[in-house]
Amino acid sequence: MANEVAKKEQGAVAAAPQKTIKGMLANADTAWGKELAKVLPSAKEVARFMSCALDQLADPKVGAKLAQCTLPSFYNAIKKSARSGILPDGVNAYLIPYGRECTLQFSFRGLCDMAIREGIALKFDSDVVRENDVFKWSNGQLVEHTIVDWDEEARGEIVGVWVRAYLPDVDGKYNPDLHVDERMSKAQVDKIRSKSQNPNGVWGEWYEEMMKKSCVKRMFKRMRNTPTLAEAISEDNR
């Protein structure tokens, strides 16, 4: 039944008077605008949300390819972004064309901001580790990460990544000693990259950010979760 409803909705969107993606994003009164208002955390955000999607169409790297994507695939991508409350602005979430299919991919920052809004954590810290850094890990926690030299070549090749999530105390307040840490080796991250539909796309351009994102998604598996965040991660994995 859900699939039938989705197909009817997609058909209505594709058959709307505005025949281009830009036309469908023109204002909040279009068919897309009205549908997005129903799923966004705040209907007042429709104009800003659609503006972010339009900005992606103007991006010199992917804009032309996004404009050639099918209306249903583009609509599905931005609707997933709207449902999560994460803006498709090329910072918090990316609209990525695969042929004529538009897909959505959340960024490390987007997932962290969502976790903060959901009350799961108060803030996140993260960094990649290079072979000449001082890195100490004990009993599942980061003890030290010291960058000896700011020059990346002097620091050596990337060997891993870590993420720390600071958790709220019983009163919902910040306590620097209350946190969860996660780390991943480069080999573990590259295994995830190898399963990507396009390992040279976002992975190639923003490798360090994708490392952090892989690590924080692994961290979420052992943290208190919410249906909204779980759905966003599930969509991102697909």
Side-chain angles (χ1 to χ4, degrees), residues 25-29 32-34 36-37 40 42-55 87-88:
L25 294 171
N27 57 68
D29 292 327
W32 283 13
K34 293 176 181 178
L36 293 172
L40 278 165
S42 172
K44 297 179 181 179
E45 290 291 306
V46 175
R48 180 186 178 201
F49 185 89
M50 295 175 77
S51 177
C52 286
L54 278 171
D55 287 344
L87 293 172

Side-chain angles (χ1 to χ4, degrees), residues 169-195:
D169 62 17
V170 292
D171 296 319
K173 297 181 179 179
Y174 172 71
N175 181 341
D177 296 324
L178 190 59
H179 55 75
V180 175
D181 296 343
E182 188 66 69
R183 67 173 177 173
M184 293 183 71
S185 68
K186 185 177 185 300
Q188 289 173 312
V189 173
D190 285 345
K191 185 176 181 179
I192 295 173
R193 179 182 182 176
S194 69
K195 297 178 181 179

Side-chain angles (χ1 to χ4, degrees), residues 137-143 181 183:
W137 185 273
S138 178
N139 297 322
Q141 291 192 0
L142 174 67
V143 177
D181 296 343
R183 67 173 177 173

Side-chain angles (χ1 to χ4, degrees), residues 88-127:
D89 55 4
V91 176
N92 293 282
Y94 310 100
L95 294 172
I96 303 174
Y98 288 111
R100 296 201 65 205
E101 294 296 305
C102 178
T103 63
L104 177 73
Q105 192 168 103
F106 298 122
S107 70
F108 167 72
R109 172 177 168 176
L111 289 176
C112 288
D113 285 351
M114 186 176 186
I116 292 171
R117 289 200 310 272
E118 292 289 299
I120 295 170
L122 294 176
K123 73 171 188 173
F124 290 83
D125 287 335
S126 182
D127 204 352

